[in-house]
Structures are given as structure tokens and as C-alpha cells.
Amino acid sequence: MRILHTSDWHIGRSFHGHSTLDALRGVLEAMTQQVRDRGVDVVIVAGDVFDSAVPAAGCYTLLSETLRGLADTGAHVIVTSGNHDSSARLGFQSALLRDGIHVVTDPLSIGTPITITDEHGPVHFYGIPYLEPAMVRPLWAGADLRTQQQCVSHATGLIRSDLAVRGGRAVGVAHCFAGAVVPTPGVERDIQQGGLDIVPLSTFDGLDYVALGHIHGGQKLSDNVRYSGAPLHYSFGEGAKPRGSWLVEMDADGFAGAQWLDLPIPRRLVKLTASLEELLTSPDFAGFEDAWVSAQYTDASPQRDPMRRLQQRFAFCATVAHTPGVVREHDGLSYASRVRQAKGDDHDLVDGFLAHVRNGVGATRAESEIVREVIAEHAAAVPAGSAGVVEKAEASA
């Protein structure tokens, strides 16, 4: 039996304000073609099908198109809910789905597998939907279910009890932090308030293969316990991680190996760091014009309208940050101290203010000319004997 393990589609997620539906549609079409070309028997989607508990209409359309396309290849499809999904919305139409498509969202179904047979006999697929302790505690009276670890351990206990009676090979599907996972900062939502609630790998003992979801990068925790990651990049923190899925082989004895299948990347992600002028003109950054760009400019002081200027070269510049290459050592002076040091010179006062808020960079020559003109106009308009700029600043300081 050949199994394609995927997860974390996050249909409906935006990328820095940009829709990802069209890009994800192309990637999922490529995945469907891999299923057809490789003769895959079962496709597993291990949670976080949607990005939101309340998906927009277009998200349902893309899911329906993809499930129909996968089923048309002749493969069975097994989908479980993740922490981003609403199990009710994901599972409401499961009874109406065509043969070969199975959506597992009910925790009470955990001990009942979806059984698919090959030439060696049955393979039992046990789906574990995302288990929120507060929500599932009433379902299993007497069980101590305060953490994700306890919930998943209880679920796998139910699975082992059922498998002991049925016999045969078994595949588990779960959505959680497991083993020595390496999460992507700011990407995977913490599923336990106050810290990661990690499920030990021993929790899945007795299963021939475990298809995990929740981590967005493909990871091999052991030969037969793996994360497939998301099929699309959803943050710059994921940019260096390949996108794809695991093609898992099952023989008469169980897990026989897994092969990574790359998926196309519609638009690559890059982080560029240099001065703003270099980012705008340097040939070193040629070739990134069609990439998603996260720009960090290293000028000593903030520059005018950097996003608009960068997008003139990099149309898909999504973020820009000012990260000075050299940060001045703090001299311990407050702004009030700088006002007192201006010694009656209004120009020095303004220059000191600019240096205070611009990483030590005072007025440029052009700015100094403007400041002097404004001060001169102010002095001409103020009656003799009135307080000047410095005196007013000292009073407010």
C-alpha cells in the first residue's frame, strides 16, 4: 500500500495581507497529479485543513475541488481536524461525501478505524482529531485529561485496545507537538497556554506509521513517526524549508519506508539586508524582483517611504524593517539634558532632538538649511521679548 502523508493546508490563510488561495490551488493540483502518477492508495491530511474556524466561501470551494480531484485518482482520502479547524464545520457534510473520502472530527470515533485492504490484508487508519482538553474531558468520565499529552495518550490507549482485538497493520493520524519537535517561531499556534505540551514518541508505540500535523516543516522524528509540514510557505521563517509530503510504503509486515516528494513553490521567499540605496540599486539583488521579499535596511537613520520605494524594484516586497548596522552606544543623556546643552541655539536644539531619535544621526546639510529657514521665519514673526524655541523647550522639559 502507498500512502501520501500531508497536513496543514491552512486554506484561507493570508501572507502579509495577500490571498494565498490561487497559489495553494496550484500546489494542491500538483499534489493530486503526484497521487495519480505514483499510484497512491491513501491520502492522509493530518489536520489544519482550514486556517480559520469560520472559513470564507472560496475556502470550501477549494477544499471540495481538491478532495474531488484526489478521489478521482482512485485513492482513499482521510482527513482529520486540527486546532485551526472548526470540527463542526469541517465535519458537517462528511455523511454526504462520496465513497472513499473520510473526515474524522468526532473524538468518540477514535477507537473505530477506517479499514482499507491491500493484497496483504487490512490496514487500519485511526484518526485522532485535535483534542482540546476542556472540550473532551466530559466525553471520557474518570480520565485525567488536563493536557494535550494526557488527551493523546488516552486516545492511543483506545486505539491499542481496539487493535488488540482486530489485529493487522495500523496507521495513526494526529495533530500535536510530538517528540523533539522544532517549531517555526511565530507560525505554529501554541496549543497549550503557557508553553509547549509535547507528546512523547512512546505514546504512539504499537502503530506501524504515525502521520503527524501541526509543524510546518517536514520532520522525521523516527523512521515511522513524521511530520509532513505545510504544502505552501506561510511565513518568511519557513522560507528555507522545502515544501512537500511523505510517500509511505506499507508491506506485509507494516512500515517499509518513506520518500520525500517535493512540491512546487509558486513564489520563493527571500530576506535581503543592506542599506536602502543598495537594496534599490545594487546588481547583487538582481533576480529577486519576482520573489516575496522581506527587506531590512541598515541605514543609521530611518529613511523616507521605504516600502513604496522598495516595491518599485521588488513588486512583492511584503515587509520592511529598519535595522541599523551600527547602533550608537547610549550616552546616558535624556532629552531634557540635551535641551539644556543647546545653550540658546535653536538649531542645536533641533539637531540634538534628531540625534536623540535617529540613532545619533543629526540633521543633514539639507535638513539644516530647512531648520535655519524655519527658525529665521519664526524669529521674524515673534515679537521682541517673547520666549524662543529653546526657552519653551526648557520649560516643557
Side-chain angles (χ1 to χ4, degrees):
M1 181 178 292
R2 285 188 168 182
I3 302 167
L4 189 82
H5 167 198
T6 178
S7 72
D8 294 274
W9 291 359
H10 285 280
I11 301 174
R13 191 168 204 167
S14 62
F15 182 80
H16 296 280
H18 300 268
S19 171
T20 62
L21 274 182
D22 288 341
L24 182 58
R25 177 177 281 106
V27 171
L28 294 178
E29 287 174 354
M31 178 187 292
T32 301
Q33 189 60 47
Q34 289 178 340
V35 170
R36 180 176 289 107
D37 294 342
R38 301 277 182 160
V40 171
D41 302 293
V42 182
V43 177
I44 292 173
V45 188
D48 279 358
V49 178
F50 293 123
D51 187 60
S52 166
V54 189
C59 301
Y60 287 104
T61 300
L62 176 54
L63 177 61
S64 297
E65 291 173 355
T66 304
L67 293 180
R68 184 167 57 248
L70 290 170
D72 286 344
T73 69
H76 291 264
V77 184
I78 299 172
V79 180
T80 62
S81 52
N83 58 297
H84 279 254
D85 298 309
S86 162
S87 57
R89 286 187 171 86
L90 183 61
F92 85 98
Q93 59 181 352
S94 59
L96 305 177
L97 294 173
R98 58 191 289 180
D99 290 343
I101 301 177
H102 313 271
V103 180
V104 181
T105 60
D106 183 2
L108 292 177
S109 70
I110 286 174
T112 304
I114 298 159
T115 300
I116 300 171
T117 303
D118 65 8
E119 65 269 26
H120 304 296
V123 178
H124 307 298
F125 292 83
Y126 292 93
I128 303 176
Y130 171 67
L131 303 175
E132 174 64 46
M135 300 297 291
V136 301
R137 199 175 298 128
L139 302 179
W140 294 302
D144 188 10
L145 304 176
R146 292 167 295 162
T147 67
Q148 274 283 302
Q149 177 182 339
Q150 291 172 326
C151 290
V152 176
S153 295
H154 182 75
T156 54
L158 295 175
I159 290 171
R160 277 189 287 271
S161 295
D162 182 79
L163 188 58
V165 176
R166 293 181 189 274
R169 298 161 291 167
V171 174
V173 185
H175 194 88
C176 62
F177 284 113
V181 296
V182 181
T184 305
V187 176
E188 294 95 9
R189 182 185 298 169
D190 190 349
I191 54 177
Q192 172 74 17
Q193 186 174 3
L196 301 184
D197 191 358
I198 296 177
V199 178
L201 291 189
S202 58
T203 305
F204 302 105
D205 286 352
L207 296 170
D208 293 281
Y209 182 75
V210 180
L212 295 175
H214 191 51
I215 298 297
H216 283 202
Q219 293 190 38
K220 172 185 170 183
L221 304 186
S222 68
D223 280 346
N224 66 328
V225 182
R226 301 175 186 237
Y227 284 100
S228 66
L232 194 67
H233 288 126
Y234 288 115
S235 81
F236 284 101
E238 302 175 15
K241 298 179 180 179
R243 304 287 88 171
S245 56
W246 292 108
L247 180 62
V248 179
E249 298 277 354
M250 299 282 284
D251 61 16
D253 297 321
F255 176 76
Q259 173 188 356
W260 179 257
L261 298 183
D262 283 314
L263 284 168
I265 297 174
R267 192 180 305 283
R268 60 178 171 157
L269 283 68
V270 296
K271 294 181 179 180
L272 305 180
T273 303
S275 70
L276 185 60
E277 183 63 25
E278 289 174 319
L279 290 171
L280 294 173
T281 62
S282 173
D284 292 342
F285 303 120
F288 297 127
E289 287 79 4
D290 196 43
W292 287 117
V293 170
S294 175
Q296 298 183 18
Y297 68 95
T298 58
D299 302 67
S301 61
Q303 299 297 297
R304 178 181 52 82
D305 204 5
M307 177 63 85
R308 181 188 62 80
R309 295 163 68 186
L310 284 165
Q311 286 181 338
Q312 291 177 349
R313 181 176 188 183
F314 308 107
F316 299 98
C317 181
T319 70
V320 59
H322 177 220
T323 56
V326 177
V327 179
R328 69 182 173 113
E329 184 176 347
H330 195 273
D331 56 13
L333 293 178
S334 66
Y335 179 56
S337 300
R338 298 182 193 282
V339 169
R340 287 189 288 271
Q341 287 183 354
K343 299 179 180 179
D345 188 326
D346 289 349
H347 177 272
D348 287 348
L349 174 66
V350 175
D351 189 66
F353 170 76
L354 292 175
H356 188 69
V357 299
R358 298 202 310 196
N359 191 34
V361 179
T364 64
R365 180 178 298 179
E367 289 170 339
S368 290
E369 292 177 0
I370 294 172
V371 169
R372 293 188 188 283
E373 289 177 7
V374 171
I375 291 173
E377 290 177 5
H378 175 77
V382 174
S386 299
V389 177
V390 171
E391 289 81 1
K392 290 179 179 178
E394 286 179 332
S396 64

